[in-house]
């Protein structure tokens, strides 16, 4: 194994500004992590969210952090203090949760890496703003009101910025990205299961390149 220093994301930096799309990756085999990440980075998508939905997730994060210096690897589906501790130790440079509690938020704040707590209601947004958090994941985006909901939030809560995730496609992504309170979107269309199973990294890179220019 060839080790390289992982791409660091300063605590003051914003995950929302790294690329217009953050790939949401589910890996069953950690051996696929490095070639997949290299394809995504080559396609212009350096921020990669590896979700904690499989037993391979932590090893996948470790591998990307160690071997793909162009990647900014993060952990998704973070729902516990243990998730925070384990993923940051594995090399995660940002954290994404589908929702939040005070306990989880405290742990993410103490982790030293940027984080996007999940929200789907106005009250949750206001509660996070009260805690000094201005960058959030809007999830599940399409089911929770989509672009119309986010547009409605922008006037009374302009300080809140979002990464909408959940049901977003290449067709709908530009509409989200045109909103003033959306920094990026999360999606998995550039890492389709059949391409990963076939180890078709050329296809993944092509889809990533197409996604990287969706804004504007």
């Amino acid at each position: 194994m060839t080790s390289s220093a992982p791409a660091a994301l300063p605590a003051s930096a914003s995950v929302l500004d790294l690329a217009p799309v953050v790939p949401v990756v589910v890996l069953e085999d950690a051996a696929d992590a490095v070639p997949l990440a290299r394809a995504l980075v080559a396609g212009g998508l350096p921020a990669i969210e590896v979700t904690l939905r499989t037993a391979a997730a932590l090893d996948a994060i470790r591998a990307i952090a160690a071997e793909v210096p162009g990647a900014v690897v993060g952990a998704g589906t973070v729902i516990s203090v243990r998730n925070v501790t384990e993923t940051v130790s594995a090399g995660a440079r940002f954290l994404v949760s589908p929702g939040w509690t005070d306990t989880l938020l405290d742990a993410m704040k103490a982790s030293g890496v940027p984080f996007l707590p999940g929200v789907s209601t106005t009250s949750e947004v206001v509660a996070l703003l009260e805690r000094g958090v201005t960058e959030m994941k809007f999830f599940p985006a399409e089911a929770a009101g989509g672009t119309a909901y986010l547009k409605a939030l922008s006037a009374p809560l302009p300080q809140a910025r979002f990464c909408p995730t959940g049901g977003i496609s290449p067709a709908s992504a530009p509409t989200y990205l045109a909103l003033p309170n959306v920094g990026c979107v999360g999606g998995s269309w550039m890492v389709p299961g059949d391409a990963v199973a076939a180890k078709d990294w050329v296809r993944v890179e092509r889809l990533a390149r197409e996604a990287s220019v969706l804004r504007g």
Side-chain angles (χ1 to χ4, degrees):
M1 179 183 295
T2 301
S3 296
S4 301
L9 183 63
S12 60
S14 174
V15 178
L16 302 184
D17 298 327
L18 292 175
V21 180
V22 175
V24 179
V25 175
V26 180
L27 285 171
E28 299 291 343
D29 185 351
D32 292 330
V34 168
L36 177 67
R38 286 175 175 158
L40 291 170
V41 171
L45 300 181
I48 302 168
E49 176 188 334
V50 177
T51 68
L52 301 182
R53 301 179 193 176
T54 69
L58 282 176
D59 285 338
I61 290 170
R62 286 190 192 96
I64 295 171
E67 298 187 54
V68 191
V72 179
V73 63
T77 323
V78 173
I79 59 172
S80 70
V81 174
R82 180 177 179 180
N83 288 162
V84 172
T85 303
E86 290 183 339
T87 55
V88 172
S89 294
R93 293 297 178 262
F94 65 92
L95 306 172
V96 184
S97 68
W100 65 279
T101 64
D102 286 329
T103 299
L104 180 58
L105 186 65
D106 288 343
M108 290 193 292
K109 277 190 163 189
S111 70
V113 301
F115 57 93
L116 298 173
V119 298
S120 60
T121 70
T122 306
S123 294
E124 290 171 326
V125 175
V126 172
L128 283 177
L129 292 174
E130 191 176 75
R131 296 285 303 271
V133 178
T134 60
E135 298 187 344
M136 313 165 195
K137 171 180 178 173
F138 180 57
F139 176 82
E142 288 288 279
T147 55
Y149 193 94
L150 287 172
K151 187 176 181 180
L153 287 181
S154 65
L157 302 170
Q159 63 272 57
R161 297 180 71 217
F162 301 94
C163 174
T165 304
I168 297 176
S169 69
S172 62
T175 307
Y176 280 94
L177 292 167
L179 295 174
N181 55 352
V182 170
C184 64
V185 300
S188 57
W189 70 84
M190 73 296 301
V191 285
D194 59 339
V196 176
K199 305 187 189 305
D200 189 350
W201 313 127
V202 172
R203 180 183 172 199
V204 170
E205 181 179 342
R206 175 177 58 79
L207 292 171
R209 196 172 303 281
E210 293 168 359
S212 72
V213 296
L214 284 176
R215 189 192 305 279

